[in-house]
Amino acid sequence: METAEFVEILDREGRLLAAAAEEAGTDAKVPTCPDWQVRDLLRHTGMVHRWAAAFVAEGHSSYHPDGGLPDLDGDELLAWFREGHRYLVDTLASAAPDVQCWHFLPAPSPLAFWARRQAHETTVHRVDAESARGGGPSTIDPGFAVDGIDELLRGFHARPKSKVRSEEPRVLRVRATDTGDAVWTVRLSQEPPVAVRESAGDADCEVAGPAAQLYLALWNRLPFPAVTGDTAVAALWSERSAVTWS
């Protein structure tokens, strides 16, 4: 996917998130993040948007801390969230393609990284906001979901900080059933997971389903659509794969 596509998705998803949060109200519980109310979701995502935008806008060449969470609520919090989201979208849309700044996963360029990462960040949290509102969630394009699965498996969990570890070597297969060739093999051990985009060898467990459902399941927002083989391997993923801010 191109950077401009990610920016368009980020724009849409942030507006959907704000609309769902406004409808739910900031006191509402977030079923997909049981420790949060909608105010926590808005504060966190709005903080991340401003943090990400600062790298591109200000050209930070090394890690730069976030600005913390605001002491805002209700309409003021929603306005603050919308302002930060708009600033991020505009920053990414107007940045030079060769802008240089810090980023934390492999990518064709820093700009490509931040557009992709924030599109997925915002999509997952939009789903959170819609879970608080109730009713059916907005759709996720299968191609975008496949990209998000790839980012999670071959990006986030390839890092040393991944907590998905297994005393005994295990192999998890991840298969999107509605996109043709979208399949990953994830080797679990006492080291960080190693994922490849292919059906390589035998697997102890396979999780499968439509790409959008699988994407959200791997981010622990939904149950896995289908699990075959050793269900303990899928359970290990669900129990240990949470990506936290700190």
Side-chain angles (χ1 to χ4, degrees):
M1 295 179 64
E2 299 295 327
T3 297
E5 294 178 86
F6 287 121
V7 175
E8 289 177 6
I9 292 168
L10 167 63
D11 188 6
R12 170 183 177 269
E13 294 293 322
R15 288 185 281 108
L16 287 172
L17 191 163
E22 185 170 27
E23 190 173 346
T26 56
D27 288 338
K29 297 286 188 181
V30 181
T32 49
C33 293
D35 294 335
W36 275 3
Q37 292 173 284
V38 167
R39 65 173 58 86
D40 302 304
L41 175 63
L42 289 171
R43 289 168 180 168
H44 167 79
T45 313
M47 173 273 290
V48 172
H49 284 171
R50 285 167 168 78
W51 175 77
F55 286 102
V56 178
E58 300 169 22
H60 296 295
S61 60
S62 60
Y63 176 82
H64 189 74
D66 63 76
L69 302 177
D71 186 19
L72 297 172
D73 206 348
D75 290 343
E76 286 185 320
L77 178 57
L78 279 158
W80 176 85
F81 172 83
R82 287 183 166 116
E83 179 185 354
H85 170 248
R86 186 76 259 149
Y87 176 61
L88 173 61
V89 170
D90 291 346
T91 295
L92 295 174
S94 62
D98 60 351
V99 64
Q100 294 300 306
C101 62
W102 180 84
H103 57 292
F104 61 87
L105 296 178
S109 71
L111 182 61
F113 165 80
W114 284 111
R116 181 196 200 193
R117 176 80 292 276
Q118 291 308 302
H120 288 297
E121 174 86 9
T122 307
T123 298
V124 171
H125 287 317
R126 180 267 291 172
V127 171
D128 293 332
E130 290 181 340
S131 79
R133 179 199 63 193
S138 303
T139 59
I140 297 173
D141 177 78
F144 178 70
V146 165
D147 180 83
I149 295 169
D150 202 68
E151 184 204 42
L152 182 64
L153 297 181
R154 299 204 294 162
F156 271 99
H157 285 288
R159 300 183 299 166
K161 63 171 54 181
S162 175
K163 295 178 182 178
V164 183
R165 308 294 175 99
S166 174
E167 289 295 322
E168 299 295 329
R170 309 296 279 166
V171 178
L172 174 67
R173 186 97 71 224
V174 177
R175 187 183 306 275
T177 56
D178 58 344
T179 56
D181 63 345
V183 59
W184 296 260
T185 301
V186 187
R187 299 190 181 280
L188 307 177
S189 69
Q190 297 181 39
E191 301 298 321
V194 176
V196 294
R197 180 81 179 267
E198 59 184 28
S199 181
D202 295 331
D204 297 293
C205 175
E206 178 168 305
V207 294
Q213 293 180 38
L214 204 53
Y215 170 62
L216 294 176
L218 289 163
W219 275 107
N220 291 315
R221 264 54 183 194
L222 291 176
F224 286 115
V227 181
T228 54
D230 185 352
T231 60
V233 179
L236 181 148
W237 178 275
S238 298
E239 290 164 4
R240 301 188 185 179
S241 65
V243 175
T244 58
W245 180 250
S246 58

